[in-house]
Amino acid sequence: MLSESDLEVFIEGTKHYFSTSTDKDVQVETPYLVSTEEIVVNDFTGIIGISGERKGFVFVTAAKSMLRYLVLSLGEKEADPDLVRDVIGEVANTISGNARRSFGPGFMISVPLLVEGRPERIGLPKDLKGYVIPFRWNSFPFQLVVSLQ
Amino acid sequence: MKMMIVDDSLVIRRKIEREISLPALTAIVTARDGKEAIDVFKEHMPDLVTMDLTMPHMQGAECVKELVKIKPDTVILVISALADKATAIKAIKNGARGFLCKPFTETQLNDALTKLIDYSEEVKGS
């Protein structure tokens, strides 16, 4: 299971991503525990599988409106659909990869799996629990979900 | 001087291409994974490469080794989210000359590339 300090790694990683890549910081809301069957996703979701010394997944899910704004904030002149789709995977990849600073090289991350739309289930393993960490960036809400054994 | 950007993220490839300000640069080519990078590299023989590590088909670490075999004096900057020291050390052992952690700013990118080019020119001149 995740400890409080594990959660802090992902919270700090998310803050670092947005403060370095954009000119606006994120606000963190109170994390809560859910079963994978209760997880609800938004328009775009970037999922990173975790293997090695820890097993599980990390994903970031956000609305299209936020991702369009994020793409523009990264310096693009237009929020092309390919960029909007890609950016959620890159956010998930960066936050998960940065977690190795704390967890070490045994924390193996996959390439991002991108899910578009709001399917009822996104193929997460059943009977697992994950922490949902709600954030707000530039008034847009988004969520980071972490489930690690 | 020719440069190749290797990253599976379109956002990152475009960010690097847009934010680089190196007067010596004459051409930029891109690749989406390690396998494609080898083909593009053989065709264009760039002097400078930025290389992601976590990619489909062929990981960046393996690709760095292959590029160094083809052209040993290629200057490779690994740009990765994998933030642990062991990964950076391994990249250097494989033949990369530098490591920049994602996320990065425009200044960090240009500083890292300028240092590598200066080092490379010093080595060639000595």
Side-chain angles (χ1 to χ4, degrees):
Chain A
M1 276 300 290
L2 277 171
S3 67
E4 198 176 323
S5 62
D6 289 343
L7 270 184
E8 201 56 40
V9 168
F10 293 99
I11 291 170
E12 288 307 314
T14 307
K15 284 181 177 176
H16 180 59
Y17 176 84
F18 284 91
S19 65
T20 305
S21 304
T22 77
D23 59 358
K24 290 184 174 66
D25 293 337
V26 290
Q27 283 82 51
V28 193
E29 294 168 12
T30 308
Y32 54 93
L33 190 62
V34 294
S35 72
T36 46
E37 289 169 353
E38 295 172 292
I39 290 172
V40 178
V41 296
N42 213 316
D43 298 334
F44 289 90
T45 303
I47 307 170
I48 305 292
I50 307 297
S51 58
E53 290 170 10
R54 308 290 294 265
K55 288 177 179 54
F57 60 84
V58 175
F59 74 75
V60 181
T61 187
K64 187 177 179 181
S65 53
M66 171 181 150
L67 298 176
R68 285 176 54 84
Y69 202 91
L70 177 57
V71 165
L72 297 174
S73 296
L74 294 174
E76 293 289 342
K77 288 193 169 66
E78 288 181 22
D80 183 274
D82 287 343
L83 293 169
V84 170
R85 203 174 297 117
D86 182 75
V87 76
I88 193 76
E90 188 54 25
V91 173
N93 169 69
T94 304
I95 294 167
S96 305
N98 283 188
R100 281 171 55 139
R101 191 176 284 125
S102 301
F103 299 142
F107 186 82
M108 311 288 286
I109 68 168
S110 72
V111 294
L113 170 68
L114 303 180
V115 176
E116 192 170 344
R118 299 185 182 209
E120 283 185 16
R121 288 189 51 78
I122 52 171
L124 298 173
K126 287 181 181 175
D127 306 325
L128 281 182
K129 289 198 180 294
Y131 275 96
V132 177
I133 311 171
F135 290 94
R136 198 167 281 273
W137 173 75
N138 197 25
S139 84
F140 294 104
F142 71 99
Q143 295 173 321
L144 178 77
V145 181
V146 187
S147 176
L148 291 177
Q149 292 174 348
Chain B
M1 176 178 274
K2 285 185 196 170
M3 176 172 171
M4 178 168 76
I5 299 166
V6 188
D7 202 299
D8 59 338
S9 165
L10 175 63
V11 166
I12 293 296
R13 292 197 303 275
R14 287 175 62 98
K15 177 181 164 71
I16 294 171
E17 195 166 354
R18 191 173 54 244
E19 293 185 347
I20 279 175
S21 56
L22 300 171
L25 215 59
T26 55
I28 297 178
V29 291
T30 62
R32 291 168 294 183
D33 59 57
K35 260 184 158 176
E36 189 178 81
I38 303 240
D39 293 339
V40 174
F41 189 85
K42 283 177 179 169
E43 189 183 342
H44 295 276
M45 297 301 273
D47 312 285
L48 185 60
V49 175
T50 69
M51 176 70 67
D52 187 17
L53 291 179
T54 310
M55 293 185 293
H57 309 309
M58 183 193 276
Q59 295 271 347
E62 195 185 337
C63 187
V64 166
K65 281 186 191 172
E66 292 299 317
L67 299 189
V68 170
K69 271 187 213 164
I70 297 166
K71 191 178 175 198
D73 64 345
T74 309
V75 177
I76 302 173
L77 174 67
V78 168
I79 302 182
S80 172
L82 303 179
D84 58 297
K85 280 183 188 165
T87 298
I89 291 167
K90 192 177 169 192
I92 302 295
K93 278 186 181 168
N94 284 348
R97 298 273 175 83
F99 188 95
L100 178 63
C101 195
K102 293 178 184 176
F104 55 87
T105 64
E106 185 174 341
T107 304
Q108 288 167 337
L109 173 67
N110 282 294
D111 284 354
L113 286 169
T114 303
K115 273 182 197 163
L116 289 198
I117 292 168
D118 289 350
Y119 169 77
S120 173
E121 284 173 355
E122 261 182 47
V123 170
K124 280 180 189 169
S126 63

